[in-house]
Amino acid sequence: MVELKRGRAEFADELPNLIYQSASSVLDFIFDGQSNALAFLTRVSNEPEGQFSANRHHFACIGGNPVGCVSLWHTELPSAFHTATFSSLKKFLTVELFEYVVSINPLLVSTFEPPKDHQLCFGHLSVKQGHRGQNIGSKLLAYIIRMGHQMQKQELALDVEASNDEALQVYERWGFIVKSEQMLAPLNQIFYRMTRPL
């Protein structure tokens, strides 16, 4: 049986690989390679706050063990969230890599725009390899919809790589439509912003 749970520190060990498989090409670009990306995610998943903290994710669990995750992004995130994200970058990256990440941040913000007040945006949606095809992704999507209603949002939003046909088919089945597209030029990749009314 799949249980949906809010994040907690004991799920931190499973989180880095889940996050990485949700956006490997973008994370490789941000952190200058897979080894840097996974090393950073491993360090920060135990942090109490911030974008990559286990506490800031929601998990699908079987037998108490995480097999999938998602993060929720909305305009009411506390300032501590943003401060902790920046502090984690500064604390766990080399000076050179930190400066590189800061330098590409405007490009990332223009590609993956923040949610509007009426939107709940989600990311890092991922299911472990051995548990795919068991409707865990669908359970996470249903959970996201419930959370959107609880937060009194009017729309869900997400960013997905245009070449990810499997993900696009799933999101379209759930009523998401492509609203815009952005090119992440250094990767020569197009990302769709998809939305769904609540």
Side-chain angles (χ1 to χ4, degrees):
M1 178 180 166
V2 178
E3 295 180 280
L4 284 301
K5 299 183 177 184
R6 288 182 181 267
R8 55 187 74 167
E10 60 260 37
F11 295 160
D13 290 345
E14 299 291 341
L15 187 59
N17 285 321
L18 285 167
I19 292 177
Y20 184 77
Q21 70 185 20
S22 74
S24 58
S25 61
V26 174
L27 289 166
D28 286 350
F29 168 62
I30 294 171
F31 296 106
D32 196 27
Q34 179 180 1
S35 60
N36 285 337
L38 284 171
F40 174 75
L41 293 171
T42 299
R43 291 183 187 114
V44 299
S45 61
N46 281 299
E47 293 290 293
E49 186 59 273
Q51 182 178 355
F52 302 105
S53 165
N55 292 334
R56 274 289 169 187
H57 284 72
H58 303 257
F59 292 84
C61 299
I62 296 178
N65 299 312
V67 296
C69 75
V70 69
S71 65
L72 304 179
W73 186 20
H74 52 93
T75 53
E76 294 84 19
L77 287 169
S79 59
F81 171 87
H82 303 290
T83 301
T85 300
F86 181 81
S87 295
S88 293
L89 290 167
K90 199 165 187 181
K91 179 179 176 183
F92 293 115
L93 297 179
T94 64
V95 172
E96 294 80 9
L97 191 50
F98 173 76
E99 289 174 350
Y100 167 74
V101 171
V102 170
S103 74
I104 64 170
N105 188 59
L107 174 62
L108 297 172
V109 170
S110 67
T111 304
F112 308 108
E113 65 182 61
K116 298 177 174 60
D117 288 344
H118 71 286
Q119 291 177 321
L120 175 62
C121 193
F122 64 92
H124 299 169
L125 180 60
S126 181
V127 176
K128 274 187 171 182
Q129 290 280 355
H131 293 276
R132 293 180 181 172
Q134 300 175 23
N135 290 322
I136 293 168
S138 293
K139 291 182 186 301
L140 283 166
L141 283 167
Y143 176 79
I144 294 162
I145 290 168
R146 288 196 304 276
M147 293 297 292
H149 285 298
Q150 285 178 21
M151 296 169 69
Q152 299 183 328
K153 299 295 183 179
Q154 286 84 50
E155 190 173 62
L156 296 180
L158 67 104
D159 295 296
V160 62
E161 199 173 327
S163 61
N164 191 342
D165 293 333
E166 183 180 357
L168 288 170
Q169 289 171 11
V170 170
Y171 293 136
E172 285 168 357
R173 280 199 304 271
W174 278 80
F176 288 86
I177 61 169
V178 175
K179 277 299 180 102
S180 62
E181 63 179 61
Q182 291 288 339
M183 169 74 81
L184 187 54
L187 298 182
N188 199 30
Q189 288 179 336
I190 294 172
F191 288 85
Y192 291 148
R193 170 59 60 103
M194 301 184 79
T195 61
R196 176 197 188 277
L198 285 170

